[in-house]
């Protein structure tokens, strides 16, 4: 999608200060946009202010690119191999509670990016809903699928029956998918590590109102801002993004639970391992993994064939298996976010990944034994970690 001109540089609110939220907030600030981080508590906002109102970004991906590495290695460090972070400065922060309590702060939110975990997205949206209206644009950037639908069901039910009431309330939604790898370490609350520089795609979600209202100026401005980010960002049509979301959902559903259950990195999902990785001692391991990949991908293809018949040719078992294998190879040394959540004792996004596929299968009469088992095992592991903590 071609976007002419530059973004106006008006304020963008970012809700969710995890690794992804900090990465996008920093790059949007670097592009010239005023940024407000919306944090869960006033204490977090005060800590951010005391830290200088800035986000540190460590471009770990540059280690694999010699020309970049020479520019960003701190040779004065004891190990001589520390990456020098760059800073996004002059960023405001406030708690979501103060958005409602402080009359001076309770202003209209023109552009909002929500980067929370999928299971937190509904609560996050509720916390700012009073500052949104039809002139607003909301970007949803979560793993899995179903957060947009959950927001619509919770806050804007039966839109066509209540179109007159809702036409002034419903913002425009942009859905995004991000393949850039990033992580945040607990001791550096406002530092994000950009571990893999890949790509991200965004598309405007068609309105549920009929006829759809015209797009507000904030939407075009937000699209321009996103397209200018040096994160492999592209703006595409919703139909193309929907296909990418379904493929990414399949990859997450196949790779993430196995890595979280076994503690392995993504590359051990697909045989043979990359050069330099340890060979598996069990000779039957690769045969077992091939069987698992085939069964899991065939199950997902069967669900998609019933739920999205118009995409049947693009979402065959072979196409899904090739995509999943490609993602596993390209992110071979990465630890999935589900594995990181399990290790940290946090709730995973399994509800919006394998759980979503199970519910979609139930809606269309397709059995999902593989995804049901994976979902159950992950929830059991979550519970076990909770009781151990």
């Amino acid at each position: 999608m071609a976007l002419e001109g530059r973004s106006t540089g008006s304020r963008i609110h970012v809700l969710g200060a995890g690794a992804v939220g900090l990465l996008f907030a920093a790059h949007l600030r670097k592009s010239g946009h005023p940024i407000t981080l919306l944090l869960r508590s006033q204490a977090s906002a005060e800590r951010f202010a005391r830290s200088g109102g800035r986000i540190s970004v460590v471009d770990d991906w540059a280690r694999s690119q010699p020309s970049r590495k020479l520019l960003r290695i701190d040779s004065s460090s004891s190990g001589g191999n520390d990456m020098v972070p760059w800073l996004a400065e002059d960023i405001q922060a406030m708690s979501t509670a103060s958005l409602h309590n402080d009359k001076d702060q309770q202003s209209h939110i023109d552009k909002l990016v929500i980067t929370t975990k999928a299971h937190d997205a509904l609560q996050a949206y509720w916390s700012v809903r009073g500052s949104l209206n039809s002139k607003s644009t909301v970007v949803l950037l979560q793993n899995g699928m179903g957060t947009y639908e959950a927001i619509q069901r919770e806050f804007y039910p039966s839109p066509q029956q209540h179109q007159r009431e809702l036409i002034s309330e419903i913002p425009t939604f942009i859905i995004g998918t991000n393949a850039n790898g990033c992580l945040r370490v607990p001791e550096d609350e406002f530092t994000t590590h950009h571990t893999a520089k890949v790509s991200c795609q965004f598309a405007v979600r068609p309105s549920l109102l009929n006829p759809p209202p015209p797009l507000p100026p904030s939407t075009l401005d937000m699209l321009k801002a996103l397209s200018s980010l040096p994160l492999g960002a592209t703006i595409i049509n919703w139909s193309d993004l929907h296909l990418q979301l379904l493929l990414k959902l399949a990859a997450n559903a196949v790779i993430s639970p196995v890595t979280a259950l076994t503690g392995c990195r993504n590359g051990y999902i697909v045989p043979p391992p990359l050069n330099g990785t340890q060979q598996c001692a069990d000779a039957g391991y690769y045969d077992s993994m091939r069987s698992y990949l085939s069964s899991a991908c065939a199950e997902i293809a069967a669900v998609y064939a019933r739920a999205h018949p118009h995409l049947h040719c693009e979402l065959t078992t072979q196409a899904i298996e090739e995509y999943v294998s490609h993602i596993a190879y390209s992110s071979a040394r990465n630890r999935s976010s589900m594995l990181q959540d399990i290790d940290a004792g946090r709730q995973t996004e399994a509800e919006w990944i394998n759980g979503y596929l199970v519910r979609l299968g139930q809606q269309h009469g397709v059995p999902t034994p593989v995804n049901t088992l994976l979902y159950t095992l992950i929830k059991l592991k979550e519970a076990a970690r909770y009781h151990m903590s």
Side-chain angles (χ1 to χ4, degrees), residues 219-241:
T219 301
L220 183 58
D221 202 43
M222 190 73 245
L223 289 173
K224 289 177 181 178
L226 293 169
S227 66
S228 68
L229 297 179
L231 299 171
T234 54
I235 309 301
I236 58 179
N237 295 323
W238 168 247
S239 58
D240 295 330
L241 182 67

Side-chain angles (χ1 to χ4, degrees), residues 259-299:
T259 64
L261 291 168
T262 62
C264 68
R265 295 178 185 267
N266 295 356
Y268 283 91
I269 299 300
V270 285
L274 298 178
N275 292 336
T277 60
Q278 184 178 358
Q279 294 282 345
C280 181
D282 183 359
Y285 167 79
Y286 295 128
D287 288 339
S288 299
M289 288 310 303
R290 287 190 185 96
S291 176
Y292 163 69
L293 278 173
S294 297
S295 299
C297 292
E299 179 175 296

Side-chain angles (χ1 to χ4, degrees), residues 56-73:
S56 299
V57 180
V58 183
D59 284 331
D60 290 321
W61 60 266
R63 293 179 187 275
S64 62
Q65 299 190 18
S67 61
R68 296 278 186 176
K69 186 175 179 180
L70 289 174
L71 294 175
R72 302 195 182 197
I73 290 290

Side-chain angles (χ1 to χ4, degrees), residues 18-20 22-24 27 56-65 68 72 83 85-86 178-185 191-199 230-231 265-266 329-337 340:
V20 174
L22 293 177
L23 181 68
F24 276 81
H27 277 286
S56 299
V57 180
V58 183
D59 284 331
D60 290 321
W61 60 266
R63 293 179 187 275
S64 62
Q65 299 190 18
R68 296 278 186 176
R72 302 195 182 197
M83 301 299 295
W86 58 268
N178 172 50
N180 287 278
C182 52
L183 61 86
R184 191 186 67 174
V185 293
T191 296
T192 184
H193 290 256
H194 190 183
T195 57
K197 189 175 184 180
V198 191
S199 63
L231 299 171
R265 295 178 185 267
N266 295 356
Y329 280 126
S330 62
S331 62
R333 300 186 183 279
N334 289 3
R335 299 171 73 250
S336 71
S337 60
Q340 293 180 49

Side-chain angles (χ1 to χ4, degrees), residues 243 246-248 250-251 297-298 300-301 304 311-327:
L243 175 60
L246 291 170
L247 286 169
K248 184 181 179 183
C297 292
I300 294 171
Y304 285 170
L311 295 174
H312 178 62
C313 293
E314 290 89 351
L315 294 172
T316 63
T317 299
Q318 180 179 350
I320 292 173
E321 189 167 346
E322 288 176 353
Y323 181 84
V324 171
S325 298
H326 166 72
I327 294 299

